[in-house]
Each structure stands twice: as C-alpha cells, then as structure tokens.
Amino acid sequence: YIAYQTAYLKAHYPAEYMAAVLSNNMRDIKQVTFFMEECKRAHIKVLGPDVNESYYKFAVNKDGAIRFGMGAIKGVGQGAVTSIINERKENGHFKSIFDVAKRVDLRAANKRTFEGLVFAGGFDSFTDTHRSQYFALDEKEHTFLEKAMKFGSKYQENKNSSQVSLFGEASEVQFDEPSIPDCEKWGMMEKLSREKEVVGIYISGHPLDDFKNEIENFCNAVLIDFEDPKALLNKDVSVGGIVSSVEHRVSKNGKGWASFFIEDYTTAHEFRIFGEEYLKFKHFLVPNSFLHLKISGRKNYYNDDVRLQFNEIQMLQDILDKMSKKVTIELDLNEINAAKLDLITTILDTHKGDKSIHFTVTENEEKIKINLPSRTKKVAISNEFLSTLKKEDLSFKLN
C-alpha cells in the first residue's frame, strides 16, 4: 500500500515527492547527492538556498522547482531559520542584506549563520551585492558582512529602546547603511568550493562542467567503477576528475609515494601511487587540478588483489588538443540547405586549425549514410568550437 502511495506521488507530484525525499535524507550527503542526480534525470530543477524562498527543509517554490533547505547549511540552526521565515511571512520578502540584518533576530542568527548563507548562495537574490563583497576588508580589517550585521544590531537596539515622544509616537533614529565595497567576483572554483564547505555538495554547478566534452569523448569509466577493483582486472580505463586532496609521503626505505583523492560527478575515490609512477607523475598531484588518468588493472604479484597501474596522467585542459584527431559533423540530408551550409562554413572559418573535419550525411528513408572528409578545411578543436556547434544544434562526434 505504501509502495502504491509513493509511486502515485512520484508520478503526479514529482517535485513535491523529491523535496520530501531530500528532506528525509538531509543529513546524509551521499543520499542527497544521489537524489539530486535523480532530480536532474527527471528534469526537476533543484535551486540553491534563498532567504526569500527557502524553508528549513527542502520545499517546492511557485515555479515548481525545489529550493534547498536552509537547515542543510552548516552553521545555520533551526532557531535562525525560524526567525528568518517568521519575519518573511509577517513583513514580506527581504530587499537587501541590510534589510535582513535589520529585521531578523540577531540573537538567533549570528555571524556564522550569515557566513553560511553567503557561502551557500542564500543572499544571491540581492542583485546589488555578490558573494565576494561580503568578505571584502576595510582599512580596519573588518569585513563588509560584519559591518552590515553591526548596522542591523545598532538599528534593532535603537528600535527596542526608543522612547515615546510627547505626541505618543516612537522616535526612531536613522542610520546610514555601510557602503558596499567594490571588488571582483569569486571565480567558479572558489564559489563552488565554498558551497561544498557549508553544504557538503556543489549546488550551483560542478567544477567539471567546463570539461564535459573531454569527459564524454575521452573517458570510458567513472570513479565509482573503482569501488570494485576486481572488475577492472586486465582492463584499460580512462577517467577524468578534480584533485580534492593530496598527501605526499616518504616510506620507511626513503621512497616517495602519494595518497590523493579525485572527484567526478559520481563519487570521490582515493588512489595511491608509488615508485617510478610517482616520480613520473607527482607534479600533477596538486589540489584543485583537473586530471585525465589512464589506468590499467593488473594482477598483484603477491596476492589475488588487483593492482592499479598508472600509465598516463595529463591535465584535462590539454586533452582536447592532444587527443582529438578529427571532428565529424552529422547532417540529415533533408535538412541541408544553403543557409545551413553557409553557417557551417562560417563556423569552420572562425575556428581554423590543423584537425580534420568530416561530414556524415544520412538519408533515413533509404537508410543511406555517407562519410565525406573535407579536403579544404581544417579546424582547431576547442571547447569554444564545440559549444558553437551545440548552440547551432549541429550534432558531432570526436575521434
């Protein structure tokens, strides 16, 4: 009966159902990650936390998207969330960080609460400020966030102790809002690493999003495959990921080795590298570096375990240029016209290089497929070039 109910809810109220499932597993990051992927597969949007929309747990907004629960943010307690929600319900949406500092009970929402909300993107709906500004320092080494909270505290203190005038009206002192500092926005890696610091997962993207072409075309495995090493025996695999942590060590006999964690879209996995392989590749083992690894599973000399052999490690940034030999653009004969050919010619001329370009033309009715290599055009295969092809709805394959 319960299975029937849950199936009905998932079919007819998918966003609400997934919000409930995420809320139920809020303290288990692996489960949250798993269900976030399920939401992506079902084309259900999961948005980051927002002081103007989020509740303590995951909830569905008016557009049918799931909002991250503020209670899932490290340092943001239930008391702080209750104060934010009650104030929002009573007096409407918050307009700025100063509005939050003035209206929310600062005894419940402290500095750690505000920092957690900034890192997780809880104030991103305030268009006049971005995340890095909250931590910009003044000449006295005070952050803008500290000044905003001091402003709010002073405002609340004055409001609570205001004296009634002769005319029976509360006198209210006006305070000038601190000036918003001008500084550069955080880069994507900084932004995402801060999110992970307070939530445990990346919310607004993934560090590997810029390398989707490299991973889709030049990786034949994912890190979760390494959880069963015996399945990799006598196999050659290629994986891509970001180095999350590294420890360079020295063994008792004085030889260097390293333990390092790599993350991809599926999981994080610890690898250990020794001997000549370590000496050959140790310069790649740097935190936050994006790597492409070619690994073979070989039988261990001493027991039945599988030994991982590191054949090659390269920067993911270099993979497209080094490993791609040609790009094949796939065309439907019935959709080929002068405008489309002009568009393709313009794209190829804009991205001239030394890699081969091929065309596969198909005619579905007669089931004909012809491969046509270009004799006059060559291209530079880059993410910019591939993004342009995707933008113009041109299917392609890399080799």
Side-chain angles (χ1 to χ4, degrees):
Y1 182 64
I2 291 169
Y4 168 80
Q5 287 180 316
T6 52
Y8 177 87
L9 289 170
K10 190 173 182 182
H12 295 280
Y13 302 94
E16 288 81 0
Y17 174 79
M18 291 308 298
V21 171
L22 283 161
S23 296
N24 201 42
N25 293 276
M26 203 160 67
R27 298 295 167 215
D28 188 337
I29 289 304
K30 277 196 172 181
Q31 286 291 89
V32 169
T33 306
F34 173 81
F35 289 118
M36 291 268 282
E37 284 301 314
E38 176 68 11
C39 289
K40 195 183 290 182
R41 188 195 63 76
H43 304 292
I44 301 168
K45 272 190 177 181
V46 181
L47 306 173
D50 185 329
V51 286
N52 281 327
E53 274 196 351
S54 292
Y55 292 87
Y56 185 76
K57 294 185 176 181
F58 291 79
V60 179
N61 68 8
K62 63 181 186 299
D63 300 318
I66 297 173
R67 268 288 176 198
F68 221 86
M70 287 188 281
I73 305 169
K74 198 181 292 181
V76 180
Q78 189 151 8
V81 177
T82 302
S83 177
I84 291 168
I85 293 167
N86 289 344
E87 176 59 33
R88 188 176 74 205
K89 282 180 179 176
E90 199 172 319
N91 297 306
H93 281 187
F94 300 103
K95 298 177 180 68
S96 67
I97 181 63
F98 305 116
D99 198 27
V100 177
K102 284 197 297 186
R103 290 166 53 189
V104 172
D105 185 354
L106 295 179
R107 291 167 299 182
N110 56 24
K111 183 184 171 186
R112 195 175 175 212
T113 302
F114 276 72
E115 286 178 348
L117 284 166
V118 173
F119 288 149
F123 298 139
D124 283 2
S125 56
F126 304 146
T127 53
D128 55 344
T129 49
H130 55 78
R131 297 186 200 184
S132 67
Q133 287 175 311
Y134 293 102
F135 300 97
L137 296 168
D138 63 10
E139 62 280 354
K140 293 181 181 178
E141 297 292 302
H142 295 142
T143 65
F144 168 63
L145 183 61
E146 288 171 334
K147 289 196 285 185
M149 289 189 69
K150 193 174 181 181
F151 162 81
S153 178
K154 199 174 179 183
Y155 175 89
Q156 290 184 21
E157 193 179 310
N158 178 71
K159 189 179 178 183
N160 292 334
S161 63
S162 60
Q163 300 295 317
V164 178
S165 70
L166 291 170
F167 302 101
E169 295 173 351
S171 61
E172 200 170 289
V173 178
Q174 294 295 319
F175 299 108
D176 290 332
E177 293 176 352
S179 57
I180 299 170
D182 186 25
C183 64
E184 281 187 24
K185 288 185 177 183
W186 281 339
M188 184 53 78
M189 272 306 301
E190 175 79 6
K191 189 177 174 181
L192 291 174
S193 64
R194 295 290 193 179
E195 284 179 3
K196 192 169 185 186
E197 187 182 315
V198 293
V199 180
I201 57 173
Y202 304 114
I203 302 172
S204 56
H206 194 281
L208 293 175
D209 286 346
D210 291 337
F211 301 99
K212 279 188 175 177
N213 290 313
E214 290 86 342
I215 290 169
E216 285 172 8
N217 293 283
F218 299 107
C219 294
N220 62 5
V222 290
L223 289 173
I224 205 164
D225 296 333
F226 288 86
E227 291 184 5
D228 181 15
K230 289 184 178 178
L232 299 174
L233 183 62
N234 298 323
K235 288 185 181 177
D236 299 322
V237 296
S238 301
V239 291
I242 177 174
V243 179
S244 54
S245 65
V246 185
E247 284 188 33
H248 294 272
R249 300 175 180 179
V250 178
S251 63
K252 289 178 181 178
N253 58 11
K255 291 184 178 180
W257 65 283
S259 163
F260 61 100
F261 276 88
I262 289 193
E263 291 181 34
D264 68 1
Y265 288 105
T266 62
T267 188
H269 187 80
E270 182 185 14
F271 291 98
R272 296 186 175 195
I273 186 168
F274 305 89
E276 289 184 16
E277 291 172 14
Y278 171 73
L279 295 174
K280 188 177 179 182
F281 300 123
K282 67 178 181 179
H283 57 288
F284 287 107
L285 305 180
V286 178
N288 294 327
S289 58
F290 299 94
L291 300 182
H292 180 269
L293 303 93
K294 288 185 177 179
I295 301 170
S296 298
R298 299 290 180 256
K299 191 168 172 45
N300 202 311
Y301 303 124
Y302 310 107
N303 52 43
D304 292 333
D305 292 341
V306 173
R307 176 177 59 89
L308 297 181
Q309 179 180 304
F310 293 85
N311 301 319
E312 192 172 23
I313 298 179
Q314 298 182 77
M315 301 297 290
L316 262 177
Q317 290 91 328
D318 300 331
I319 292 301
L320 269 185
D321 186 52
K322 287 183 177 179
M323 295 185 71
S324 55
K325 301 292 184 284
K326 71 173 183 180
V327 62
T328 302
I329 296 176
E330 299 169 330
L331 299 169
D332 185 329
L333 182 62
N334 299 314
E335 294 177 4
I336 296 174
N337 52 45
K340 193 156 201 169
L341 293 177
D342 287 342
L343 173 66
I344 292 170
T345 302
T346 303
I347 294 170
L348 298 182
D349 288 342
T350 306
H351 299 276
K352 287 181 179 178
D354 59 356
K355 303 293 172 71
S356 300
I357 179 85
H358 287 230
F359 296 90
T360 297
V361 182
T362 56
E363 206 290 316
N364 293 322
E365 267 189 44
E366 299 292 332
K367 295 182 180 177
I368 297 170
K369 183 182 276 191
I370 303 172
N371 185 47
L372 305 168
S374 174
R375 292 175 183 171
T376 57
K377 303 280 185 185
K378 284 189 180 288
V379 294
I381 299 175
S382 64
N383 276 308
E384 186 187 353
F385 168 62
L386 299 179
S387 295
T388 305
L389 293 180
K390 285 180 182 176
K391 186 182 174 184
E392 299 298 342
D393 289 326
L394 293 166
S395 299
F396 64 87
K397 280 184 181 176
L398 284 179
N399 297 101

